[in-house]
Amino acid sequence: MRPLVILRPEPGAAKTAERAAALGLEARVIPLFAPRALEWDAPAPDRFDALLLTSAHAARLAGERLADYRSLPAYAVGRATAKALEAAGFAQVVAGDGDGTAIARRIAADGHGHVLHLAGRTVAPIDAGALRIDRIAVYEMLRTGDAGLAERLERDNVLLVHSPRAGEVLAQLVQREQRAALHLIAISPAALAACGVGWASAQTPDKPDDERMLALAVRLCE
């Protein structure tokens, strides 16, 4: 069986490892980043029609001012982000199973025009369409300093890449001559593109979802 390597930060990495173990996979966790909260100024909730989060880290790290926006319709990219919002006291959260552009279309279709997006310092591009999106960074991802990642990887490892930024760092740390013996499963086409070329195999699930990534890993690791 090919070993699985989980590169995402905690606490998501541990949850992915639990799911992998339940599927009978051998997994190692080597996070490339650690999240850190940022200080931010919270604008008045009445300026906005809706709240958008594209990462569960934003819900966990925004702090007590996040509660100011519980009166707004809340939208989330992915079930994990939706669950983090619910844990923060949001009663009704619309969870999209696509990317930021897909949820932006859903928000517009629901009749909203001005959206507050609480996010990380770096985010994947969103085609806002007719929406006006005000983005505020409430957290940042810090490199863990694992410059020895390439030495820790073994031939035929299957790497899970959960973000475009993780793909960029992976491409920096693993040279092309090593990539031919490593397999990739990236959460989205953008994350896959960031990893560069030359891997033994590279694929994405039909929707950006941890469970779907692991379903691909089961077939690849056997």
Side-chain angles (χ1 to χ4, degrees), residues 6 8 10-20 60 80 210 214:
I6 300 165
R8 72 186 304 195
E10 297 291 3
K15 294 178 180 177
T16 300
E18 280 184 27
R19 296 186 186 111
R60 299 188 189 105
D210 195 45
L214 287 172

Side-chain angles (χ1 to χ4, degrees), residues 144-178:
T144 60
D146 191 356
L149 174 68
E151 289 73 25
R152 299 176 66 182
L153 297 177
E154 301 171 358
R155 186 178 184 85
D156 273 347
N157 277 169
V158 177
L159 313 182
L160 295 189
V161 181
H162 280 79
S163 71
R165 191 172 177 205
E168 291 172 2
V169 172
L170 182 65
Q172 294 169 11
L173 296 177
V174 180
Q175 301 304 308
R176 292 195 61 165
E177 58 268 20
Q178 187 180 10

Side-chain angles (χ1 to χ4, degrees), residues 163-218:
S163 71
R165 191 172 177 205
E168 291 172 2
V169 172
L170 182 65
Q172 294 169 11
L173 296 177
V174 180
Q175 301 304 308
R176 292 195 61 165
E177 58 268 20
Q178 187 180 10
R179 296 180 190 180
L182 299 169
H183 303 267
L184 288 185
I185 297 175
I187 195 166
S188 67
L192 187 63
C195 296
V197 298
W199 304 93
S201 69
Q203 55 186 315
T204 62
D206 57 348
K207 295 184 182 298
D209 182 274
D210 195 45
E211 287 84 355
R212 288 179 172 88
M213 292 176 75
L214 287 172
L216 292 177
V218 169

